[in-house]
Amino acid sequence: MKVDYDVIIIGAGPGGSSAAMYCACSGMKTLLVEKERLPRYKPCGGCLSIKTINQLKFDIHNIVENIIYGAKFSYNLGDTFLIRSKEPIAFLVMRDRFDQILTQKAVESGADLLEGMKAKKIEEVDGKICTELSDGKRLYSEYLIGADGARSIVARSILPNSKKAFEDGMAIECEVPFDSSIDFPKEEFQFVHLDFGKIPNGYGWVFPKKEWISIGIGGMFKGVNKMSLRRYFFSFFQGLKYIPKDKIVSLVGHPLPSFYNEEQIVSRGRILLVGDAAHLMDPLQGEGIYYAIQSGMLAAR
C-alpha cells in the first residue's frame, strides 16, 4: 500500500508541533493536521516554567508577555505571603502566539501543515494508519501521533474499550483587559497569584500580562456541575479587589486530563498519544505544556 506520509500528527498544540518539528528534522515526511485556523485562541493561563523554556531550541522572548520573579500565595483571598526570586521562575505568554511560533518552527523544519481540517477517524489498514478527514479524504501513514487534546479523537479511535479516564478535572478562565478601571498593584506585576481554599480541590490564579490579566480556577471537581464551577469562579473573581464588580467577562472552560493510573495506555502499535491526549499533566499544579513538549519529543524519537 502506498503511504502519503511517514508520520501524520493530529493537533498543532505544543506537543504536536514539537513532534512535527523533530520528525521533519529527522528527514521523515511529516504532516501536521490542525482542526482550527492558526493563530487560534486557546484557553490556558499560558505560564511556561523554566524547565519548559529549557526544552525549546529557539528564542521566544519576542512573544513573552511577562517575566515572573515570584509568587503571591493566599488562602481564601485572606492574608498573603510572597516568595521572591532573583532569577526568573516563569514566563507568561498568550497561547495563540506561542502555538503559532511552534507551528512555524515545524513548517520551517519541513513539515506540511493542514489547517482547518478535523480528523474524523483513525484506524489501522493492512499495517498502515489511515486518517479519515472531515472532508472525507483518507491519508495513509506509517505512524501517527495523537496530540489533539483531552477529548482526543485519536485516543477514542484506538482505545474504544479502555478504562474511562478520570474526567472531573476542569479549568475555567477569562482574559480581562487592563484599562483605567483596574488598579492592579504595580509592585505585584511580576508575580503570579495563587489562592487556595476558595476553590474545593483546586485553586484560583491571576497571571498579569502586557495588556491582559488571565484569571481562572482549576482543580479536580468530582461531582461538581458546571453551574457550581461558574459560581466558584465569580466568587474568586469578585474577591479580587482591583477588579470592578461590574466588570463583564467571557468565560472559557477546558478539561484537565489527569493521569489516572499506572496501567494507562499511551500508545498502541504505530499510534502514540502525547500531551493532553495522553492525559499527561502535573496533578498538583495543572501544568501541561512541559509534558506536551517532552512527550512530543519522545514520540518523535
Side-chain angles (χ1 to χ4, degrees), residues 11 39 49 59 65 103 118 151 158 193 195 215 240 248 256:
S49 61
D59 185 22
E65 295 278 323
T103 303
K118 189 174 182 179
R151 297 191 175 108
I158 68 170
H193 179 192
D195 179 79
I215 302 173
L240 301 172
I248 299 174
L256 296 177

Side-chain angles (χ1 to χ4, degrees), residues 80-200:
T80 64
F81 69 89
L82 303 178
I83 295 179
R84 293 179 171 86
S85 172
K86 294 181 180 179
E87 301 295 329
I89 64 170
F91 296 80
L92 300 184
V93 297
M94 297 298 290
R95 280 292 303 276
D96 54 349
R97 298 179 68 199
F98 180 66
D99 289 11
Q100 176 76 5
I101 195 171
L102 288 177
T103 303
Q104 288 175 350
K105 293 297 181 181
V107 172
E108 290 170 6
S109 299
D112 290 338
L113 174 64
L114 180 59
E115 299 177 75
M117 190 66 66
K118 189 174 182 179
K120 186 177 178 181
K121 185 179 179 182
I122 310 296
E123 61 182 344
E124 186 171 341
V125 179
D126 296 333
K128 309 301 179 184
I129 307 303
C130 175
T131 301
E132 182 180 339
L133 301 174
S134 52
D135 64 355
K137 186 175 182 179
R138 291 178 168 231
L139 297 175
Y140 292 86
S141 59
E142 296 285 356
Y143 297 91
L144 184 134
I145 295 174
D148 51 335
R151 297 191 175 108
S152 169
I153 295 293
V154 179
R156 292 203 297 270
S157 295
I158 68 170
L159 306 171
N161 298 316
S162 65
K163 181 178 178 180
K164 187 177 180 182
F166 185 70
E167 295 178 346
D168 294 308
M170 191 74 179
I172 299 179
E173 72 148 0
C174 69
E175 313 285 351
V176 178
F178 274 115
D179 60 29
S180 58
S181 70
I182 296 177
D183 187 22
F184 189 86
K186 292 181 175 58
E187 67 277 9
E188 295 178 9
F189 182 71
Q190 291 188 304
F191 286 73
V192 293
H193 179 192
L194 305 178
D195 179 79
F196 298 86
K198 207 166 189 64
I199 314 301

